[in-house]
Amino acid sequence: MEDIDAIAALQDPVRRRLYEYVVAQGREVGRNEAAEAAGVARTLAAHHLDRLTEAGLLESGSRRLTGRSGPGAGRPAKVYTRARAERAVSLPARDYRTAAELLAEAAEQAGLDAGLCAAARRRGEALRGSAAPCDDLEEAMAMLAARGYEPHLESAAGIQDAEGAKETAGEAAAVVRMRNCPFHAVAERFPPLVCGMNLALLEGLLGTDGPVRARMDARPGECCVVVEDSKNNID
């Protein structure tokens, strides 16, 4: 019931906007910034952010947002990030995670990595359907966002989210990283197997015959796969 209560906390539209904004930043967010982004007063934002923390959807801490220290640096401000815990609701109760872990364990012990990757690539192709391979990073980010990967564009000019990709997707050295791995719980226990499966799935979804390519590039706290446009990528 705790998961139901936590997810129910997002029913309030203001609270949901604040949560989605904090999650999208991938860093600590202060009350003033969150309030401005949601278009509400700071006191109201603080109330909802604290409610989200109490529900276990956000984690809070404090730090000086001025970047200074010592006398005159100001008091530490309260900041928020997405909670590390996962929330899921199934009525009636289901336990797909245990099944996935057991299947992954059996596949790993039997050396079925190649077969799993082949199946994942076929599934990705089936999800793409008759569409041509992705032609640019903007299109790839839309597909990844629809699958829950939470993509953001990282380039020499900075980071953009899925909505801002159009402005910077053509810049050199651009790479799409993903803040969320939909297979995180199983990937933590069986990283080579599940990360390889994930790469194959995205290869099928995005296509391998176009300029957009998926490759492995693990980084703590993010998906192990990144996506880049070979037309614009430079050393």
Side-chain angles (χ1 to χ4, degrees):
M1 297 300 292
E2 289 182 1
D3 282 1
I4 295 177
D5 293 339
I7 294 172
L10 295 173
Q11 184 174 1
D12 182 278
V14 174
R15 199 172 297 159
R16 183 161 184 170
R17 288 204 306 273
L18 288 164
Y19 174 77
E20 290 176 344
Y21 179 78
V22 172
V23 167
Q25 305 318 300
R27 56 173 172 79
E28 294 177 329
V29 175
R31 287 172 167 175
N32 288 338
E33 178 186 349
E36 183 177 353
V40 298
R42 182 184 184 279
T43 52
L44 181 60
H47 167 73
H48 284 304
L49 289 167
D50 286 340
R51 286 290 303 274
L52 289 167
T53 302
E54 293 169 4
L57 295 172
L58 296 180
E59 294 178 355
S60 65
S62 62
R63 67 176 177 85
R64 289 188 173 91
L65 299 179
T66 61
R68 303 193 305 269
S69 60
R75 298 175 57 187
K78 200 164 187 179
V79 292
Y80 303 84
T81 57
R82 175 164 53 185
R84 290 182 288 271
E86 295 182 9
R87 300 289 182 179
V89 174
S90 177
L91 297 173
R94 297 287 187 262
D95 190 5
Y96 299 114
R97 175 173 171 174
T98 297
E101 290 178 347
L102 289 171
L103 289 168
E105 182 178 357
E108 187 174 75
Q109 291 179 353
L112 299 178
D113 304 53
L116 177 61
C117 288
R121 193 171 289 106
R122 289 194 299 270
R123 175 58 63 90
E125 292 169 351
L127 290 171
R128 177 159 53 91
S130 60
C134 283
D135 190 53
D136 54 38
L137 292 185
E138 179 185 3
E139 183 182 351
M141 289 179 73
M143 296 181 72
L144 293 168
R147 303 299 302 175
Y149 283 92
E150 298 181 7
H152 63 96
L153 188 68
E154 209 173 75
S155 71
I159 298 175
Q160 297 285 335
D161 61 16
E163 294 180 354
K166 187 174 182 179
E167 300 178 3
T168 59
E171 295 181 0
V175 61
V176 173
R177 293 188 178 273
M178 294 164 271
R179 294 195 176 99
N180 182 50
C181 171
F183 317 110
H184 174 72
V186 186
E188 277 194 317
R189 290 197 56 190
F190 308 96
L193 181 76
V194 178
C195 290
M197 177 201 74
N198 188 25
L199 174 61
L201 177 70
L202 293 183
E203 287 175 341
L205 180 67
L206 304 175
T208 56
D209 299 328
V212 175
R213 303 292 173 86
R215 62 177 174 85
M216 203 76 77
D217 186 13
R219 192 162 77 176
E222 296 190 342
C223 179
C224 58
V225 178
V226 299
V227 176
E228 60 189 6
D229 190 334
S230 58
K231 293 185 300 184
N232 300 320
N233 211 36
I234 62 174
D235 295 329

